[in-house]
Amino acid sequence: MINFSYKRPTSIINATKTFSESEDGLFLAGGQTLLPVLKQGLAMPSDIIDLGDLQELKGIEEKNKSIIIGAMTTHAQVKNSPLIQKKIPTLANLAGFIGDPHVRNLGTLGGALANNDPSADYTAAALGLGAIIYTDKRSIKSDEFFIGLFETALDPDEIIVKVEFPIPDKSGYAKFPNPASRYAIVGVYIAKLKKEVRVAITGASSSVYRSKELEAALTNNFSVSAINNINISSADLNSDIHASEDYRAHLIKVMAQKAVSNC
């Protein structure tokens, strides 16, 4: 049994103050990762600081050719948003295939990005669209946000407030899901923006990353045929009971072709 104090602040100021006063506090967003971690005894915080009552972290709006999504917005709310379905339908569709209904109704955008699971879907969308992550302290470009395995640029006391997703000309996402967890064994998010083509890959390595090779090919010719002759290296790719590094390399190419077809 893990003993901890449970706090539920109603403002960002109170949340950060509570964290600073705790000996070893942890923020709770949707809890879809933190609660299993606590059950397994992999974390023993002195305080759990629940962000669920922070209304300022919720909501979806369009502003300056971008979609702004509050960090505590759930996957189900992203999936069902008419605005996102119209402006970035790939993002709404992606959210609809995260986990199961329980996960989608409790899990949050901010929690998923802060956790940076190597097989998460939202990380690919954020990096693929060139999103900007806003915290209570600063703004961080997605290219600088994802550092490594379950590691981001966030400070321990930093809270994601909202995420700005530029509206692309075209975008597509395709993943080969684990049949049990529905996490991506490999997922590829492709976005054609005004000034560039971005390709983000999740599930294949220790953290989400961009494929410069696929980006260069699709910049010259945004079509499935542009990918046909590309050979994806298996170096530094994951290998486990679900897929070898060579199979993941194969899946990157196949999922990229499907993502372009979905644009």
Side-chain angles (χ1 to χ4, degrees), residues 19-230:
F19 184 92
S20 67
E21 293 173 347
S22 68
E23 180 182 349
D24 185 19
L26 285 176
F27 291 119
L28 171 67
Q32 299 308 288
T33 296
L34 180 57
L35 293 184
V37 166
L38 292 176
K39 288 180 180 179
Q40 295 174 33
L42 299 177
M44 301 185 70
S46 62
D47 298 81
I48 294 293
I49 303 159
D50 191 343
L51 305 179
D53 279 348
L54 272 62
Q55 298 303 315
E56 56 200 304
L57 302 188
K58 301 177 182 180
I60 300 168
E61 64 175 337
E62 181 180 0
K63 186 176 181 180
N64 298 328
K65 299 182 180 179
S66 294
I67 299 297
I68 313 296
I69 305 177
M72 289 297 290
T73 304
T74 66
H75 311 326
Q77 289 168 334
V78 172
K79 169 185 178 292
N80 295 321
S81 166
L83 179 61
I84 298 176
Q85 290 172 358
K86 179 180 179 180
K87 297 295 183 175
I88 316 180
T90 302
L91 184 60
N93 187 60
L94 175 152
F97 286 95
I98 296 176
D100 54 29
H102 175 89
V103 170
R104 291 193 290 273
N105 280 284
L106 289 176
T108 64
L109 170 63
L113 296 183
N115 188 51
N116 191 22
D117 189 290
S119 297
D121 298 295
Y122 271 137
T123 59
L127 188 59
L129 288 166
I132 299 175
I133 294 91
Y134 292 89
T135 76
D136 59 318
K137 297 180 179 181
R138 56 183 169 150
S139 62
I140 311 172
K141 294 180 180 178
S142 58
D143 284 321
E144 301 166 357
F145 184 80
F146 304 105
I147 304 300
L149 182 66
F150 295 107
E151 183 183 5
T152 70
L154 291 173
D155 294 330
D157 63 343
E158 200 166 8
I159 298 174
I160 297 177
V161 174
K162 61 186 177 182
V163 183
E164 177 181 351
F165 292 93
I167 299 172
D169 293 337
K170 298 178 180 179
S171 66
Y173 180 63
K175 75 172 177 179
F176 190 84
N178 181 304
S181 68
R182 300 183 188 177
Y183 273 102
I185 293 177
V186 165
V188 179
Y189 196 106
I190 295 175
K192 190 174 188 296
L193 301 162
K194 294 295 183 184
K195 297 182 179 180
E196 62 178 340
V197 173
R198 298 173 67 97
V199 179
I201 299 172
T202 187
S205 190
S206 59
S207 180
V208 65
Y209 68 96
R210 290 174 62 182
S211 171
K212 301 300 184 182
E213 186 177 24
L214 288 171
E215 288 177 351
L218 291 170
T219 296
N220 291 329
N221 177 18
F222 195 84
S223 69
V224 173
S225 62
I227 302 172
N228 291 342
N229 295 323
I230 291 180

Side-chain angles (χ1 to χ4, degrees), residues 241-258:
I241 61 172
H242 304 296
S244 68
E245 61 267 37
D246 289 336
Y247 189 50
R248 277 188 164 88
H250 169 72
L251 285 175
I252 289 172
K253 182 174 180 177
V254 174
M255 292 303 108
Q257 292 170 323
K258 288 188 175 182

